[in-house]
C-alpha cells in the first residue's frame, strides 16, 4: 500500500503533520516501538508507530527520526494518548529528513491502525500474486510447462499461505508434503469428494483436528474431469473470511491446477491409444509376438527405454452406478506417481489394467486397495467399484489366461458387500485357474447344459433350486447339515434335490456329477 492511503476515508482518523510530498512511499509492514534506537529491528519499508515515551527533550526527536530514516522506515505515526499533542520539534525533524509524520488521536488504538495497514498490505500482495498466477497460467497453457510447486511456494513465502494440490486418492501433486500428513490428506479428500458428489458449489470448509482448511475444485476450461479423477486445491484457512482479492487469488490458483490437469491428460492421449491397442490384441487372442511388439511401444513411453519387466499382472475392473469412463479415470489418477508403468484401457463401465510386476513389488490387489480406498466417498449411494487381479504372467503369451483369471477374481469381488471390493489371485481355487484357459463358448455351453433347466424352473416356480444345489455341494452332500443351513426339513431338501436330478438327468450321489455341477456354478 502507499502511505497516503492512511488519509483515505476508510482509514483510521489520522492527521498529516509532515512529509506531504512523500505520500507515494510503499508500506511493507508495521512496527510499534518506544525504544530510543529501534534501527536494528527495522528492515526497510515499515510504518513506525510510537507513543513518544522515548522523548525527553527536543534533541531526542532529531536523533529518533534520523535513525528511522537511516533504517529505511517510510513513515512515522505518533500517538497522542500518553504525552499529548505531537511536539513541533518532532514535526521539524520529520520535515528535515523527508519523513511523513501522522498524528494518531487518543480515540484511535494502535491495534486498529496496525490491522488496517496489514490488511491493505496483504490485499496488495494478493493482487500482485494473482496477476503472477494469471501470467503463469497463460504460460502453462501456451507452453505445456508445469510449475505448480513454484506458484505454491510463492504463496507460502509472500503471504504465509499454505496450499496443496491433491488427487482424489490423496497423492500430493504440489505443495509441501511434510506439512500435511497422510491422515489429514485422507480426511480432506473425502470431504471434497463428498461435497462434489452432491453437486457444484462454493469452496468447502473442513476442519481436521485444530486446523481449518478450504477446499476448491481444480476445474479447467472445457469438459470437467470425472469426479473420481478431479484434483482439489487445499488452502489452510477459511477463504470465506478473506478479502475479495485474496479469495480471487485462491480461485486463480485452483484454475491453474485445473489447467495443469487438462494439459497432463492431453499429453497422455497417445499412451491411452496404445494401451487400447494392446487390450484389443489381447481380446482377440493375437499371437504373442504381435502382443509383445505393442507392449514394447506402450511401455517405452512409461519406462523411458529402461529394461522391461518380464511379468505382468492383469486387473479387470467394473463400475456400477457411475458415469461411463469413471473407473478408467479413477485407475489412471490413482496409479499416477504410484506406478507410471501401468497401461490402462477400456471404456464404458469397465476397464482393464496391465501392470508390470517386479519381484520386489507388493501384491497388486493390496496396492490397489490402499490407492483406491479414499475414493469411496465419491461413489454416491449407488456407486460401486469391483476389481480382480491375476497372478503375474511370465510372458506376453500368458496374458490371455491372466485376463480370464482377473475376470474370475472380479466376479468374486462383485459377490461381496462393500463400495470398493478387490479380489486377488490367492482367492481363486485351482479349478478356477483351470477354467480360465477354456474358451468362452465352451464354458457357456457347459453351464447351459447343466443349469439352464434348473434356472428356468426357479424363475417359474420360485423353488430356490439353484441355492439349494449350491448349499448341498458346499456341505459335501450331508442332508442334515445342508437342511439346517437352509432352515428347511430334510424331506423338503430331498424333494428339491430329486427335482434337480429329474430336470438335469444327473445323479447327485455320484462324484462325477457333483464335480460337473460345482464347475457349472463356478462359471456363473
Amino acid at each position: 500500500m502507499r502511505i497516503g492511503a492512511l488519509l483515505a476515508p476508510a482509514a483510521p482518523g489520522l492527521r498529516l503533520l509532515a512529509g506531504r510530498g512523500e505520500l507515494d512511499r510503499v508500506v511493507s509492514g508495521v512496527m510499534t516501538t518506544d525504544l530510543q534506537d529501534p534501527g536494528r529491528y527495522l528492515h526497510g519499508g515499515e510504518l513506525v508507530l510510537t507513543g513518544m515515551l522515548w522523548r525527553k527533550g527536543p534533541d531526542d526527536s532529531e536523533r529518533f527520526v534520523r535513525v528511522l530514516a537511516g533504517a529505511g522506515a517510510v513513515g512515522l505515526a505518533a500517538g497522542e494518548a500518553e504525552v499529548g499533542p505531537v511536539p513541533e520539534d518532532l514535526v521539524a525533524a520529520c520535515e528535515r529528513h523527508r519523513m511523513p509524520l501522522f498524528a494518531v488521536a487518543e480515540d484511535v488504538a494502535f491495534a486498529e491502525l496496525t490491522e488496517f495497514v496489514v490488511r491493505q498490505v496483504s490485499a496488495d500482495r494478493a493482487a500482485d500474486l494473482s496477476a503472477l498466477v494469471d501470467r503463469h497460467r497463460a504460460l502453462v497453457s501456451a507452453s505445456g510447462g508445469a510449475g505448480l510447486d513454484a506458484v505454491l511456494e510463492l504463496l507460502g513465502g509472500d503471504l504465509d499461505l499454505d496450499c496443496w494440490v491433491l488427487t482424489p486418492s490423496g497423492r500430493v501433486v504440489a505443495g509441501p508434503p511434510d506439512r500435511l500428513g497422510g491422515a489429514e490428506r485422507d480426511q480432506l479428500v473425502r470431504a471434497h469428494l463428498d461435497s462434489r458428489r452432491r453437486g457444484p458449489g462454493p469452496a468447502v470448509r473442513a476442519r481436521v483436528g485444530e486446523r481449518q482448511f478450504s477446499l476448491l475444485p481444480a476445474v479447467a476450461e472445457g469438459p470437467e474431469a470425472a469426479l473420481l479423477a478431479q484434483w482439489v486445491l487445499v488452502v489452510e484457512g477459511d477463504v470465506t473470511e478473506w478479502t475479495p482479492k485474496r479469495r480471487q487469488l485462491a480461485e486463480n490458483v485452483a484454475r491453474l491446477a485445473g489447467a495443469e490437469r487438462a494439459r497432463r491428460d492431453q499429453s497422455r492421449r497417445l499412451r491411452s491409444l496404445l494401451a487400447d491397442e494392446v487390450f484389443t490384441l489381447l481380446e482377440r487372442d493375437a499371437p504373442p509376438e504381435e502382443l509383445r511388439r505393442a507392449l514394447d511401444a506402450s511401455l517405452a513411453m512409461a519406462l523411458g527405454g529402461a529394461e522391461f519387466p518380464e511379468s505382468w499382472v492383469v486387473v479387470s475392473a467394473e463400475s456400477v452406478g457411475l458415469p461411463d469412463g469413471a473407473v478408467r479415470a479413477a485407475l489412471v489418477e490413482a496409479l499416477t506417481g504410484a506406478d507410471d508403468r501401468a497401461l490402462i484401457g477400456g471404456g464404458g463401465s469397465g476397464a482393464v489394467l496391465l501392470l508390470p510386476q517386479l519381484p520386489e513389488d507388493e501384491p497388486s490387489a493390496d496396492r490397489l486397495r490402499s490407492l483406491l480406498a479414499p475414493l469411496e466417498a465419491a461413489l454416491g449411494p449407488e456407486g460401486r467399484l469391483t476389481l480382480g487381479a491375476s497372478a503375474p504372467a511370465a510372458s506376453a503369451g500368458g496374458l490371455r489366461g491372466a485376463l480370464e483369471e482377473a475376470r474370475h477374481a472380479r466376479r468374486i469381488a462383485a459377490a461381496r458387500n462393500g463400495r470398493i471390493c478387490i479380489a486377488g489371485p490367492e482367492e481363486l481355487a485351482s479349478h478356477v485357474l483351470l477354467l480360465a484357459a477354456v474358451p468362452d463358448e465352451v464354458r457357456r455351453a457347459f453351464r447351459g447344459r447343466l443349469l439352464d433347466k434348473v434356472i428356468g424352473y426357479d424363475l417359474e416356480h420360485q423353488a430356490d433350486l439353484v441355492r439349494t444345489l449350491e448349499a448341498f455341494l458346499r456341505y459335501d452332500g450331508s442332508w442334515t447339515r445342508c437342511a439346517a443351513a437352509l432352515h428347511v426339513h430334510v424331506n423338503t431338501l430331498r424333494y428339491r434335490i430329486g427335482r434337480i436330478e429329474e430336470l438335469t438327468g444327473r445323479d447327485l450321489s455320484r462324484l462325477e456329477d457333483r464335480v460337473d455341477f460345482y464347475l457349472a456354478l463356478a462359471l456363473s
Side-chain angles (χ1 to χ4, degrees):
M1 62 170 279
R2 304 288 177 179
I3 198 167
L6 293 173
L7 301 175
L14 304 182
R15 302 190 318 277
L16 179 66
L17 302 180
R20 184 169 296 275
E22 305 294 328
L23 296 182
D24 61 343
R25 293 183 176 187
V26 177
V27 179
S28 62
V30 182
M31 178 185 179
T32 301
T33 183
D34 274 306
L35 294 173
Q36 289 185 340
D37 184 1
R40 62 185 179 276
Y41 301 112
L42 295 170
H43 304 286
E46 295 91 346
L47 170 67
V48 176
L49 310 183
T50 181
M52 299 185 292
L53 298 179
W54 45 264
R55 183 184 177 276
K56 306 301 182 186
D59 291 341
D60 293 334
S61 296
E62 171 64 23
R63 186 185 315 108
F64 186 81
V65 176
R66 185 172 62 248
V67 168
L68 298 188
V74 296
L76 175 63
E80 298 178 324
E82 293 288 336
V83 299
V86 177
E88 287 298 324
D89 53 84
L90 182 56
V91 176
C94 286
E95 289 288 8
R96 282 193 297 274
H97 291 280
R98 301 171 59 190
M99 178 69 63
L101 173 63
F102 300 86
V104 183
E106 292 184 12
D107 58 346
V108 177
F110 277 3
E112 179 186 357
L113 180 55
T114 299
E115 182 182 356
F116 174 81
V117 173
V118 170
R119 188 166 60 246
Q120 295 298 314
V121 169
S122 296
D124 289 343
R125 286 180 178 173
D128 292 342
L129 282 173
S130 183
L132 172 64
V133 168
D134 281 338
R135 291 196 299 273
H136 191 86
R137 181 172 169 232
L139 178 63
V140 168
S141 300
S143 66
L148 285 176
D149 270 313
V151 173
L152 300 192
E153 185 177 348
L154 282 173
L155 295 177
D158 280 28
L159 288 181
D160 294 326
L161 189 62
D162 284 337
C163 301
W164 300 263
V165 176
L166 304 180
T167 71
S169 59
R171 178 173 61 87
V172 178
V173 177
D178 57 323
R179 301 182 67 175
L180 196 64
E184 291 174 316
R185 296 198 304 270
D186 181 67
Q187 291 185 56
L188 292 170
V189 164
R190 288 177 183 272
H192 163 70
L193 293 174
D194 186 56
S195 170
R196 295 293 290 174
R197 180 179 56 78
R198 294 193 296 268
V204 175
R205 293 177 294 174
R207 179 170 291 279
V208 180
E210 299 298 320
R211 302 174 73 181
Q212 177 71 49
F213 297 93
S214 298
L215 313 175
L216 293 84
V219 180
E221 287 83 357
E224 186 174 337
L227 179 57
L228 293 177
Q230 185 188 86
W231 292 354
V232 56
L233 174 68
V234 176
V235 182
E236 185 152 16
D238 186 350
V239 299
T240 63
E241 297 179 353
W242 292 359
T243 63
K245 285 185 177 180
R246 197 174 174 95
R247 285 199 302 270
Q248 183 65 45
L249 171 63
E251 291 165 3
N252 284 347
V253 176
R255 283 194 288 271
L256 173 62
E260 171 61 16
R261 170 101 178 40
R263 182 203 65 79
R264 194 204 61 182
D265 287 348
Q266 181 68 26
S267 70
R268 285 178 168 176
R269 186 158 298 175
L270 176 58
R271 185 175 173 190
S272 296
L273 292 174
L274 291 172
D276 285 336
E277 179 183 349
V278 168
F279 291 115
T280 298
L281 294 174
L282 194 56
E283 288 286 359
R284 64 181 177 85
D285 205 13
E289 311 82 52
E290 185 179 359
L291 186 58
R292 180 56 191 251
R293 285 195 297 272
L295 278 171
D296 287 354
S298 299
L299 289 177
M301 300 185 65
L303 300 179
E307 183 179 354
F308 294 162
E310 290 299 324
S311 295
W312 290 268
V313 168
V314 180
V315 177
S316 175
E318 286 285 341
S319 65
V320 176
L322 297 175
D324 285 350
V327 62
R328 180 173 181 170
L331 286 172
V332 168
E333 198 55 66
L335 286 164
T336 297
D339 200 324
D340 292 320
R341 306 167 300 165
L343 298 179
I344 304 170
S349 64
V352 185
L353 165 66
L354 189 61
L355 190 61
Q357 183 85 5
L358 297 174
E360 64 272 16
D361 287 343
E362 66 177 318
S364 297
D366 294 342
R367 200 179 334 168
L368 290 170
R369 285 188 189 96
S370 61
L371 290 172
L372 296 177
L375 301 180
E376 185 173 340
L379 297 180
E382 305 298 331
R384 193 164 185 257
L385 291 179
T386 58
L387 300 95
S390 74
S395 67
L399 289 178
R400 174 64 189 179
L403 177 59
E404 292 298 322
E405 183 180 331
R407 286 172 172 165
H408 281 295
R410 195 202 63 76
R411 293 188 188 103
I412 291 176
R416 296 173 175 162
N417 294 324
R419 311 293 295 284
I420 299 178
C421 297
I422 303 173
E426 68 281 356
E427 301 179 62
L428 296 176
S430 58
H431 70 278
V432 176
L433 299 180
L434 182 63
L435 290 174
V438 178
D440 287 344
E441 59 274 13
V442 175
R443 292 201 301 272
R444 285 194 296 267
F446 177 75
R447 180 177 181 277
R449 281 199 305 272
L450 268 77
L451 296 180
D452 278 359
K453 290 183 179 180
V454 180
I455 293 172
Y457 190 89
D458 271 353
L459 292 174
E460 184 178 354
H461 301 283
Q462 290 78 47
D464 214 12
L465 296 185
V466 173
R467 190 168 73 95
T468 299
L469 176 60
E470 291 174 337
F472 188 72
L473 296 175
R474 185 165 60 250
Y475 290 101
D476 300 320
S478 168
W479 298 99
T480 54
R481 286 192 295 147
C482 181
L486 293 173
H487 304 290
V488 299
H489 194 275
V490 172
N491 289 340
T492 301
L493 176 60
R494 292 185 184 276
Y495 171 79
R496 291 181 182 178
I497 295 299
R499 177 59 66 186
I500 293 171
E501 292 174 335
E502 289 176 11
L503 292 169
T504 61
R506 299 297 187 106
D507 182 357
L508 280 165
S509 65
R510 298 177 66 246
L511 177 61
E512 295 88 340
D513 287 342
R514 288 188 188 181
V515 171
D516 284 349
F517 276 120
Y518 185 84
L519 294 176
L521 289 168
L523 291 171
S524 57

